C-alpha cells in the first residue's frame, strides 16, 4: 500500500471512473472501519482508525481531478510546489491578466454583464486542462509538463471560485 491507488486497489491512472473510485473507497472503508474492531484491543483499534484515515485521505485526494493530477506528479518525483514555483508561460500569464481585468470590471460595475462570459471561459479552460492531463499523464507520462499545467489549473480553479463567489 505504497500509494493511494494501491491502497484503494485502483489502476494508477489520471482518468479514473468516479464510480470505480467510490466503489473501491467503500470496499476499503468497510474493511478497516473502526466499528469492525469494537471488541479488539486498544492497539488494534488505533491501527484501524489510522487505516480508516488513510483510506479517507486517499479517496479525497483521488476524487478531485486537480488534486489527483498533483498527487500523481508528486509520486513521479515532480512536486508541484505551487507556493514557491510560480513560473508560467507568457500566454497563460496574459490570460490571467485578461481574466483579472474582466473580474475587476465586473466588481467596479455590477451592471456589467461579462460575468457569465468570464465564467464560461474559465470552465472551458478547466475542461481543456482536464483533457490535457489525460494525455500528459496517462498517454505520454510527461510529468514535467503535467506539473506546469497543474500549477496553471490551480490558478484557474482559484479564479473559478472568485467568479462563482460574485
Amino acid at each position: 500500500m505504497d500509494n493511494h491507488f494501491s491502497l484503494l486497489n485502483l489502476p494508477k491512472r489520471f482518468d479514473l471512473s468516479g464510480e470505480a473510485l467510490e466503489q473501491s473507497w467503500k470496499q476499503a472503508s468497510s474493511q478497516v472501519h473502526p466499528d469492525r474492531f469494537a471488541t479488539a484491543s486498544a492497539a488494534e483499534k488505533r491501527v484501524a482508525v489510522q487505516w480508516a484515515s488513510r483510506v479517507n485521505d486517499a479517496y479525497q485526494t483521488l476524487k478531485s481531478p486537480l488534486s489527483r493530477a498533483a498527487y500523481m506528479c508528486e509520486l513521479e518525483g515532480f512536486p508541484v510546489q505551487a507556493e514557491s514555483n510560480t513560473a508560467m508561460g507568457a500566454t497563460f500569464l496574459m490570460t490571467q491578466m485578461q481574466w483579472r481585468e474582466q473580474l475587476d470590471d465586473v466588481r467596479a460595475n455590477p451592471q456589467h454583464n461579462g460575468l457569465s462570459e468570464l465564467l464560461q471561459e474559465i470552465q472551458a479552460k478547466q475542461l481543456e486542462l482536464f483533457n490535457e492531463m489525460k494525455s500528459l499523464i496517462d498517454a505520454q507520462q510527461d510529468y514535467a509538463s503535467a506539473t506546469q499545467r497543474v500549477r496553471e489549473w490551480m490558478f484557474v480553479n482559484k479564479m473559478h471560485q472568485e467568479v462563482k463567489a460574485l
Side-chain angles (χ1 to χ4, degrees):
M1 309 294 168
D2 58 340
N3 65 57
H4 293 340
F5 294 96
S6 61
L7 179 63
L8 295 178
N9 197 27
L10 290 167
K12 191 174 137 193
R13 297 185 45 80
F14 173 75
D15 193 16
L16 280 180
S17 155
E19 288 177 27
L21 173 61
E22 183 142 345
Q23 187 176 35
S24 293
W25 169 68
K26 286 179 180 178
Q27 184 177 10
S29 292
S30 71
Q31 292 174 352
V32 297
H33 196 279
D35 288 350
R36 289 187 64 162
F37 298 87
T39 60
S41 70
E44 290 172 321
K45 287 179 185 177
R46 229 180 356 266
V47 169
V49 167
Q50 291 170 345
W51 275 106
S53 177
R54 279 192 69 198
V55 166
N56 288 331
D57 183 48
Y59 174 70
Q60 290 303 318
T61 299
L62 299 181
K63 185 169 78 166
S64 159
L66 176 55
S67 65
R68 182 170 59 243
Y71 177 73
M72 292 182 78
C73 289
E74 290 177 16
L75 276 179
E76 296 299 323
F78 292 88
V80 173
Q81 299 174 330
E83 298 82 26
S84 61
N85 187 347
T86 57
M88 295 190 190
T91 304
F92 187 74
L93 289 173
M94 292 302 291
T95 300
Q96 277 186 25
M97 289 173 41
Q98 176 190 353
W99 286 349
R100 285 277 170 216
E101 287 174 8
Q102 286 177 268
L103 190 56
D104 289 345
D105 289 346
V106 169
R107 284 182 177 141
N109 181 6
Q111 313 309 345
H112 192 276
N113 55 356
L115 192 60
S116 63
E117 293 168 6
L118 178 58
L119 184 60
Q120 287 175 349
E121 281 182 49
I122 291 169
Q123 289 171 331
K125 187 66 174 180
Q126 287 175 312
L127 181 59
E128 175 188 319
L129 288 164
F130 177 84
N131 289 326
E132 276 188 63
M133 286 300 150
K134 288 194 291 189
S135 175
L136 289 171
I137 293 175
D138 291 343
Q140 301 171 33
Q141 297 183 353
D142 181 356
Y143 292 97
S145 297
T147 302
Q148 175 67 33
R149 301 302 277 167
V150 164
R151 285 192 212 80
E152 292 176 10
W153 199 355
M154 291 171 128
F155 172 81
V156 172
N157 273 11
K158 184 178 177 191
M159 250 334 257
H160 184 253
Q161 291 171 353
E162 287 183 44
V163 170
K164 292 282 281 187
L166 288 178

